[in-house]
Amino acid sequence: MARRSSPPEAVDERIIDIDVSAEMQTSFLEYAYSVIYARALPDARDGLKPVQRRILYQMGEMGLRPDRPYVKSSRVVGDVMGKLHPHGDVAIYDAMVRLAQPFAMRLPLVDGHGNFGSLDQGPAAPRYTEARMAPATVAMLAGIDEDAVDFVPNYDNKLTQPAVLPAAIPNLLVNGGSGIAVGMATNLAPHNLVEVVSAARHLVMNPEATLDELMRFVPGPDLPGGGTVVGLEGVREAYATGRGQFRTRATCRIENVTARRRGIVVTELPYMVSPERVLEKIKEGVQAKKLIGIADANDLTDRHHGLRLLIEIKSGFEPEAVLAQLYRHTPMEDSFSINNVALVEGQPRTLGLREMLTVWVDHRITVTRRRTTFRLERRRERLHLVLGLLTAILDIDEVIQIIRAADDADVARARLMTVFDLSEKQAEYILELRLRRLTKFSRIELEKEQDQLAKEIAELEAILADDHLLRTTVADAMAEVAQTYGTPRRTVLLESAGGTASAAPAPRRGEQVSLEIADTPCRVLLSATGLLARTADDAPLEREGRRVRHDVIASEVLASTRAQVGLVTNRGRLLRMDVVDLPGLPPTDGRASVAGGAKVGELVALEKGERALALVSLDPTAPPLMLGTAAGVVKRVTPGDVPGNRDTWEVIALKDGDEVVGATLAGDDDEMVLVSSDSSLLHFPASTVRPQGRAAGGMAGIKLSAGHKVVFAGVVPAGTPAQVVTVAGSSDALPGTETGSAKVSPFEAYPAKGRATGGVRSHRFLKGEDALILAWVGPAPAAATAPSGQPVTLPEPDPRRDMSGTPLPAQVHAVG
């Protein structure tokens, strides 16, 4: 028989009535906060989302330094998922891939080996790729083991993870980022590390700095793929309010595809725009007849030459007009909406440029203070042990006797503390002493270590006691990071779109289309930072107009829209250019700005190490071309000695190791001027240099002292008021590390001397100076620019020629 089951025991059940709407509201707010704080928004201090921070920290814990071998990406993903980030491996790998993509990150933080994807396709699976820390990540983690930041428990409270990285790099501004949270989103533009650090250093030493002051250092975004930013009004609005919009354009140049057909070559695209997307839009535009004049479009991108899209133009169409259509109807011109939302003290905030810099600067000051405190404590502890060991070595026989007579270690420790007045730590350290440390040499080492520790302790205490010294230390560390990891600017900033020709409407059946630009007089301009442009007319430029924003004009020449001009390089080559290919600038009130120009490398093919020096006219009736070399050689090239069937030719035969330092047109009435690195200035009539053919090597111009070279060669037109600008410094200093001292004096103060002589002294060196690092002679007034294109204030002119200079506030890159 089956046994009767006993009745179930009574269960104590509780039913709680809740308000569904209140519960839904509470749950949704908790979910929203989790997404905002722990997933979608970066921390304003290190610019990283939690998953990114965990990836970089775990790679550091795994020892995947830049000088170590790569490891499988799956191993990194597995360690991060198992120890710190208990979410899907796909999300972790996607975050790691983005940190390694150079087209997405201005300064990649992961060094990827293998297929990490492109703008057109995704990455390979993690089992096929390898990774390790990028060099910049070392700076992001520097000091993390020195109590520089707080640590919090991981998801299961078994391990700890940093709440924020020390972040010696301003990652929020440099690499930007995007994220979509609940009810809010963020979209930050990348910037140039050197520019951001320069602004941060200014803010460190000047906490009340205004936005305009900071924008002198950070004029605009610097996108990983280069391109051009068109219109800076939206950028300034974003820097002021945290929200704004700007347009980005592809970088293009017009080339001869065949003998009868021209084409547009695209070398840089707007941020995160893929070549495949551009070609697809061109195809759709041609089929819909929105784009006219395009014969073909191909993607010729490869690993050796980088991005290269070739758009062939039909005969009878003006390439600039077609390019305007492409900007209007394809992603070759795209918009970027800035929305600077980041976490500040755990709360999402919309930040302007000054606020973002302030958060990072305050974080670096805190990190430096905590790290200095940690180092101070460790050195005090070590000094305490060294003092105890020195005490024991002075009477080592008695120490040994006490230890031998003791029954155990506790008794020996207590007797040592009593006899020698030692602390417990000192006594324990002596008990662990090895016999080999009892040599005379070890005692000398300990005394040296004592002195070194005392010196370091004094330095660390001084940093903690003096806020100005602390800020100086932070600023110096920032400068070191910028010098180590900084790269030149890639994106060109345009105040406006410039004078691009507009396209005509679609032609009717059988109608012949010719979108030509009129042949009008203009001026061709070359800036000190290597930008080329043409003005809308040939009106003379006001001298004050040469003080343009972010740049100065280094060379200009009169021409017409359909004419050709020459570009002289330091290799002694002259390259022919069509003026119509240069970006046109809108009419102005006489003030010139080449902010809308194109890079020289986009218009002509320069060799490695070759630089553009000056523009010259190719008109056979123009004065001869004057050239001056670093070895003191001068030459005038015969007018009209220009090959009509070539685009490139040599205009001087240079000796090994020599290069051209100056080039311009020089008539017989003009004065040739040469300035050497030992501050000698020589000028003589140009008529004393007879014109020669292109194959000639020139003649002696200035007599140089041993070890010195010519730093400037130019011409002063007859009857033109001119100024001499000299910048002195140390010849042993690394390039770009010394600002030097500058002097401005009138050209009339320098007497003329004969050709091939030594000239007169133009600058008296101060202590530590032994050479001129830059010189310039030209029409007054002179304007100077820094390597970043920012203006540098020169001292007031001094009528005396043989005087020392005034220290400069910043390094001078060029004078114009």
Side-chain angles (χ1 to χ4, degrees), residues 256-263 313-316:
N256 292 324
V257 179
T258 65
R260 297 183 178 180
R261 177 169 291 180
R262 307 185 76 187
I313 308 301
K314 293 180 180 179
S315 300

Side-chain angles (χ1 to χ4, degrees), residues 226-227 268 489-492 530-532 597-604:
E268 296 175 358
R489 166 172 280 276
R490 300 174 185 173
T491 301
V492 176
L531 296 179
L532 285 166
K599 300 176 184 177
V600 171
E602 299 170 4
L603 299 169
V604 295

Side-chain angles (χ1 to χ4, degrees), residues 578-767:
D578 291 320
V579 177
V580 72
D581 293 340
L582 304 181
L585 302 179
T588 64
D589 57 355
R591 297 179 181 270
S593 173
V594 287
K599 300 176 184 177
V600 171
E602 299 170 4
L603 299 169
V604 295
L606 297 177
E607 299 175 352
K608 184 177 181 180
E610 190 173 19
R611 307 186 312 277
L613 294 181
L615 296 165
V616 294
S617 173
L618 299 182
D619 186 351
T621 62
L625 170 63
M626 186 284 294
L627 301 167
T629 75
V633 175
V634 295
K635 178 184 178 182
R636 294 172 77 199
V637 181
T638 304
D641 192 10
V642 174
N645 57 348
R646 294 171 57 185
D647 291 334
T648 303
W649 60 93
E650 292 185 356
V651 289
I652 185 173
L654 293 173
K655 295 182 179 180
D656 292 341
D658 197 7
E659 67 173 356
V660 178
V661 296
T664 186
L665 301 180
D668 290 342
D669 297 332
D670 298 336
E671 284 285 310
M672 281 191 175
V673 186
L674 300 173
V675 184
S676 64
S677 56
D678 61 352
S679 84
S680 294
L681 185 150
L682 174 66
H683 68 92
F684 49 86
S687 58
T688 60
V689 181
R690 68 180 183 278
Q692 298 175 310
R694 290 185 294 107
M699 59 186 67
I702 184 173
K703 185 177 180 181
L704 295 174
S705 303
H708 290 279
K709 62 181 181 179
V710 174
V711 294
F712 173 82
V715 167
V716 174
T720 302
Q723 287 183 337
V724 178
V725 179
T726 51
V727 180
S730 173
S731 59
D732 297 330
L734 293 175
T737 61
E738 187 178 23
T739 56
S741 64
K743 181 175 74 71
V744 181
S745 55
F747 178 69
E748 293 76 13
Y750 297 84
K753 299 185 68 176
R755 183 179 60 82
T757 59
V760 296
R761 188 165 65 176
S762 61
H763 195 116
R764 181 175 296 177
F765 295 137
L766 297 171
K767 184 178 180 181

Side-chain angles (χ1 to χ4, degrees), residues 23 40 109 193 339 343 443 472 478 605 655 664 674 731 738 779:
E23 179 66 20
L109 300 177
L193 174 62
N339 187 23
L343 296 175
R443 177 181 174 183
T472 302
M478 291 178 177
K655 295 182 179 180
T664 186
L674 300 173
S731 59
E738 187 178 23

Side-chain angles (χ1 to χ4, degrees), residues 204-205 365 368-369 372 458-474:
V204 168
M205 307 311 296
I365 292 175
T368 304
R369 182 184 291 111
T372 303
E459 293 175 353
L460 295 173
E461 289 176 340
I463 292 175
L464 293 176
D466 187 349
D467 182 71
H468 179 75
L469 184 57
L470 175 63
R471 289 180 174 271
T472 302
T473 303
V474 172

